[in-house]
Amino acid sequence: MDPMAAPDRMTHEEFLTHIAKALGRPAAPQRADGLMPDAPQVDDELVRLAGPSDNLVDLFDQRAREVGMEVRRTSAAGLRADLLALVGELKIGSAVVSLSKLDKPDDLLGALAGAGVKLLDWHGDHRMATGFVADVGITDVHHALAETGTMICTSDSAHTRAMTLAPPLHVAIVRKCDILPDLLDYFWLIKDLPAPRLPSSQVLITGPSKTADIEGVLVTGIHGPARVIILLQVD
Amino acid sequence: MHERAKKAVKDLQLQQFVNKATLLKDDHRKSLAPQVFGARHNDIRQLAGNIKAHTLDHLDHYLKLFIERATANGSVVHIARDGSEANEIALQIAKKEKLTLCVKSKSMVTEETLLLPALEGIGVKTIETDLGEFILQLDGDAPSHIVTPMIHKDRVAAAKAFQRQLGARYTEDPSELSMIAREYLRDKYQQADLGISGGNFLVAETGSLVLCTNEGNGRFCTSAPRVHIAFVGIEKLVPSYRHLTVMLKLLARTATAQPLTCYTHIVTGPRRADEHDGPQQVHIILVDNGRSKILADPDYRDALRCIRCGACLNACPVYRKVGGHSYGAVYSGPIGAVITPLLRERQNYKDLPNASSLCGACYEACPVKIDIPRMLIKLRRDIVSAKLTGFFERLTFRLFAASLKRPWTYRLSNWFQRKALRMLAKKDGYVRKAPGPGAGWTAERDMPAPPAQSFRDWWKKNHS
């Protein structure tokens, strides 16, 4: 199926034959159902850098700080109060918020509204308008990685791409149960999802937005958030 | 290249910047990946090399798989045999969708195809959004390094360009300059209807596109506008997410001493029905542009393993001295010296394989174990066999070969050289200006004249 085919343009089949011939074969395979049987094995022992026996909370905390994110520890019981305190400290006016993975998200949303934070409605916001005007994006995460201090934020009905990208500040709530040891473990979790069921966007966030293009001088917040504050729920 | 290199060596600012920057980055690379992987580092690089080699050896299969899976997730996949076809595909999409403003993130392939002037030619205003590329675009300049494009440019040039082109107030502070760029570009992200990106990897099993960036402009370009077009070389494929894991663990650690880049964005098709933002259309243009030529040659196929980390540039003593622009090509440094003559015509780039001392630092640095020195030697041999070298160079080597064939030809050639050099030497015993092929040597350094008597004659006289 080649929707852009023009008379002088090669079809996909013709191109694949061209590639096969370059590889010394007369034609491309009839079917490509998956990986070739002799695809290299990725040996867990060789590649793994963090494992289930590591203290995942401590390791994630350390790595996240190393890449320039701020980490403040909290607990399940203290999360609400700590979030409100943070919002007060940062003098937040407006926010795009998604906390649907946490316990009692409506309670948290109510508390934020009660504290005077204007909760912008991002539903159906194709142009990211709310993301561009919000002071902060406050989100939970889909997963986190202890190996690299990474937060994994994917797009779905309750999470937009804009909330972790457009506001100058990102407050992320990472719970102990969100933290996977190693990048290997994240891809293992999703390996059986057929492609159309994958989110259109998976972002592995490992630090605030950075550049050193001008004379190697490090500047944060060039396009994405300048500050990422992680509330790390240790239980 | 020789002329450009001579100029580059005399450019003091270039020397200071490129030298300092590459040494620093090379130090970082040498410290992080080996530190993190320890004794496994070499084996992991071997695995990464094997993954790429396997994918290339079965590229027909994996391309077919990618096309099927990407199409199934809602992406539109196009094939471009060369640069102008790739541009043509993008222009057709722009015309069909009536697109007028494009935000573009970094893509070496679009430098190959010269996409920008083509888009601007049909009235699509196109803005580079990677900070370094943005500054270079404002200043009418070109990138000189795969990863840090304005490694050769300073803050003063950036300040002047901002003032001149944007009417911004004059400031040389990198932080303030960055914020001016940020404000300007945020506006553009909101207005743009087309986003153009490259791609670091393509995952065959899921039809995903992977972008590894630090600034966030890549995420905006692939999320805010309603149409996203990605230009990706066919060699960027890896079989599955599990294989991608190995590449990701090596890429940023080797390129910039980070565990991962700030943003690893995995795009799998356009916005889903229940999602709230993201593009309506995702087009992936698979670009050949000479890559299938390299694929067909078993001596050079491994060069397509390259994941564009820039480690070989940072390790190379030649790149460190002459900078990227000296190569006169889109891809510079050791990998550029190999793939440029192969992607394009050898005769236009025959200098490049000679711009190397064959020290092997690039091979040691490469996370996918491309044997660049071997390829440089083979290229030199190919260029000589194709008689692309100059007449005098070939004559000199013919005479050299002839002189080594017999003891008496060897002695005769030595006698002649001794006599000639002694005649050319100044009173202080140094030859400052040799003629013909010797001029290349004496242009950079003096040669001590040999003594009147050869060592053999002296030995025969005094010791036998």
Side-chain angles (χ1 to χ4, degrees), chain B residues 176-208:
Chain B
E176 288 176 20
L177 285 168
S178 302
M179 291 307 109
I180 295 172
R182 173 189 160 85
E183 287 312 311
Y184 178 82
L185 287 167
R186 274 171 90 79
D187 221 27
K188 301 300 176 213
Y189 295 137
Q190 294 197 269
Q191 295 163 22
D193 44 20
L194 172 62
I196 298 226
S197 78
N200 291 80
F201 300 102
L202 296 167
V203 182
E205 199 172 48
T206 59
S208 297

Side-chain angles (χ1 to χ4, degrees), chain A residues 1-4 6 8-13 15-16 18-20 22-23 25 27-36 38-50 67 122-129 131-133 145 147-148 150 155-168 182-184 186-188 190-191 193 195-215 217 219-225, chain B residues 17 36-37 40 43-44 47 50-51 54 56-65 67-69 71-73 76-79 81 85 88-89 92-93 129-132 135 148-150 153-155 174-175 177-179 182 185-186 189-192 205-206 214-217 219-220 222-226 234 239-246 248-249 253 258-272 274-279 288 292 295-296 301:
Chain A
M1 179 177 71
D2 191 1
M4 301 291 294
D8 59 335
R9 199 144 317 140
M10 213 182 229
T11 64
H12 290 178
E13 283 313 311
F15 183 70
L16 291 173
H18 169 70
I19 296 293
L23 293 166
R25 291 193 273 276
Q30 288 280 41
R31 301 163 59 95
D33 293 327
L35 305 190
M36 297 289 298
D38 57 342
Q41 297 286 13
V42 175
D43 177 15
D44 202 273
E45 255 185 57
L46 175 63
V47 174
R48 177 175 289 283
L49 288 171
V67 294
W122 40 260
H123 290 82
D125 184 6
H126 304 317
R127 303 294 311 173
M128 300 186 167
F132 276 111
V133 301
L145 300 178
E147 177 208 340
T148 50
T150 295
S155 54
D156 59 29
S157 58
H159 296 84
T160 67
R161 301 180 186 206
M163 36 182 72
T164 61
L165 173 63
D182 192 283
L183 187 58
L184 284 165
Y186 173 64
F187 285 124
W188 187 260
I190 62 172
K191 69 175 168 38
L193 276 179
R197 295 225 350 251
L198 286 165
S200 69
S201 166
Q202 303 167 71
V203 186
L204 281 61
I205 299 174
T206 314
S209 151
K210 289 186 184 117
T211 182
D213 272 346
I214 303 179
E215 291 191 11
V217 174
V219 172
T220 47
I222 172 69
H223 297 279
Chain B
F17 274 37
V36 162
F37 294 111
R40 297 181 274 167
D43 289 337
I44 250 207
L47 174 59
N50 290 348
I51 290 171
H54 167 81
L56 291 166
D57 288 343
H58 299 281
L59 197 61
D60 49 348
H61 174 94
Y62 286 112
L63 275 170
K64 191 178 175 74
L65 182 60
I67 294 170
E68 276 169 26
R69 299 285 164 94
T71 310
N73 69 41
V76 182
V77 183
H78 311 262
I79 308 280
R81 282 167 293 178
E85 197 173 349
E88 196 42 53
I89 293 168
Q92 272 194 16
I93 297 168
T129 61
D130 178 283
L131 180 64
I135 295 171
T148 45
M150 57 176 269
K153 214 172 187 66
D154 69 358
R155 64 186 73 187
S175 223
L177 285 168
S178 302
M179 291 307 109
R182 173 189 160 85
L185 287 167
R186 274 171 90 79
Y189 295 137
Q190 294 197 269
Q191 295 163 22
E205 199 172 48
T206 59
N214 283 308
E215 296 185 8
N217 60 314
R219 285 176 69 191
F220 274 119
T222 57
S223 299
R226 65 180 173 85
I234 55 175
S240 70
Y241 279 157
R242 191 163 172 85
H243 297 100
L244 175 70
T245 308
V246 180
L248 289 177
K249 278 175 182 265
R253 288 183 172 110
Q258 296 171 286
L260 286 172
T261 53
C262 295
Y263 307 116
T264 305
H265 189 193
I266 304 173
V267 171
T268 311
R271 183 200 322 155
R272 303 282 187 267
D274 62 344
E275 292 175 358
H276 303 272
D277 51 17
D288 182 348
S292 55
L295 189 70
R301 187 180 299 173

Side-chain angles (χ1 to χ4, degrees), chain A residues 12-83:
Chain A
H12 290 178
E13 283 313 311
E14 284 166 350
F15 183 70
L16 291 173
T17 305
H18 169 70
I19 296 293
K21 290 202 171 126
L23 293 166
R25 291 193 273 276
Q30 288 280 41
R31 301 163 59 95
D33 293 327
L35 305 190
M36 297 289 298
D38 57 342
Q41 297 286 13
V42 175
D43 177 15
D44 202 273
E45 255 185 57
L46 175 63
V47 174
R48 177 175 289 283
L49 288 171
S53 57
D54 289 313
N55 183 325
L56 299 182
V57 169
D58 283 351
L59 186 56
F60 174 79
D61 188 336
Q62 181 197 338
R63 289 279 141 80
R65 285 176 207 263
E66 280 169 11
V67 294
M69 298 191 284
E70 299 166 49
V71 182
R72 302 182 187 206
R73 293 196 175 209
T74 182
S75 62
L79 175 62
R80 190 182 190 277
D82 287 339
L83 178 58

Side-chain angles (χ1 to χ4, degrees), chain B residues 9 27 30 39 85 117 124 139 143 176 182 203 212 221 233 262 266 282 289 312 333 374 399 401 427 446 456 464:
Chain B
V9 168
D27 271 338
K30 283 193 245 203
E85 197 173 349
V124 179
D139 211 24
E176 288 176 20
R182 173 189 160 85
V203 182
C212 303
C221 293
C262 295
I266 304 173
V282 171
N289 206 23
C312 59
R374 182 180 60 77
L399 293 173
K427 283 225 172 73
D446 298 333
R456 286 164 184 274
S464 53

Side-chain angles (χ1 to χ4, degrees), chain B residues 79-353:
Chain B
I79 308 280
R81 282 167 293 178
D82 60 27
S84 59
E85 197 173 349
N87 289 349
E88 196 42 53
I89 293 168
L91 297 185
Q92 272 194 16
I93 297 168
K95 284 185 201 152
K96 180 160 178 269
E97 297 296 323
K98 300 192 173 47
L99 306 172
T100 56
L101 178 62
C102 172
V103 286
K104 182 178 169 295
S105 74
K106 190 167 172 48
S107 162
M108 301 303 291
V109 172
T110 59
E111 302 285 333
E112 278 180 57
T113 69
L114 298 170
L115 175 67
L116 245 79
L119 274 175
E120 303 248 326
I122 60 161
V124 179
K125 181 156 163 67
T126 305
I127 304 175
E128 293 279 3
T129 61
D130 178 283
L131 180 64
E133 304 276 358
F134 176 65
I135 295 171
L136 292 171
Q137 184 181 34
L138 283 182
D139 211 24
D141 197 351
S144 70
H145 186 289
I146 288 175
V147 175
T148 45
M150 57 176 269
I151 203 172
H152 63 285
K153 214 172 187 66
D154 69 358
R155 64 186 73 187
V156 175
K160 289 193 180 144
F162 276 34
Q163 186 182 47
R164 199 176 61 234
Q165 305 292 128
L166 303 177
R169 66 173 186 84
Y170 190 84
T171 172
E172 291 177 7
D173 177 58
S175 223
E176 288 176 20
L177 285 168
S178 302
M179 291 307 109
I180 295 172
R182 173 189 160 85
E183 287 312 311
Y184 178 82
L185 287 167
R186 274 171 90 79
D187 221 27
K188 301 300 176 213
Y189 295 137
Q190 294 197 269
Q191 295 163 22
D193 44 20
L194 172 62
I196 298 226
S197 78
N200 291 80
F201 300 102
L202 296 167
V203 182
E205 199 172 48
T206 59
S208 297
L209 167 74
V210 183
L211 284 108
C212 303
T213 65
N214 283 308
E215 296 185 8
N217 60 314
R219 285 176 69 191
F220 274 119
C221 293
T222 57
S223 299
R226 65 180 173 85
V227 178
H228 168 210
I229 304 176
F231 281 65
V232 193
I234 55 175
E235 84 284 21
K236 295 297 184 72
L237 271 163
V238 293
S240 70
Y241 279 157
R242 191 163 172 85
H243 297 100
L244 175 70
T245 308
V246 180
M247 314 313 299
L248 289 177
K249 278 175 182 265
L250 279 170
L251 175 60
R253 288 183 172 110
T254 309
T256 50
Q258 296 171 286
L260 286 172
T261 53
C262 295
Y263 307 116
T264 305
H265 189 193
I266 304 173
V267 171
T268 311
R271 183 200 322 155
R272 303 282 187 267
D274 62 344
E275 292 175 358
H276 303 272
D277 51 17
Q280 286 170 353
Q281 294 180 33
V282 171
H283 295 265
I284 300 177
I285 304 178
L286 298 175
V287 181
D288 182 348
N289 206 23
R291 286 153 175 79
S292 55
K293 249 195 305 175
I294 301 181
L295 189 70
D297 192 333
D299 281 324
Y300 297 122
R301 187 180 299 173
D302 284 352
L304 294 176
R305 295 184 188 184
C306 178
I307 59 175
R308 305 283 191 261
C309 69
C312 59
L313 275 68
N314 295 332
C316 178
V318 173
Y319 179 90
R320 188 167 301 144
K321 277 314 280 179
V322 303
H325 287 164
S326 299
Y327 292 76
V330 172
Y331 301 103
S332 59
I335 191 63
V338 170
I339 61 176
T340 307
L342 294 172
L343 286 173
R344 311 272 75 87
E345 294 308 314
R346 263 159 244 226
Q347 53 263 29
N348 297 332
Y349 294 99
K350 57 184 160 68
D351 282 347
L352 267 56

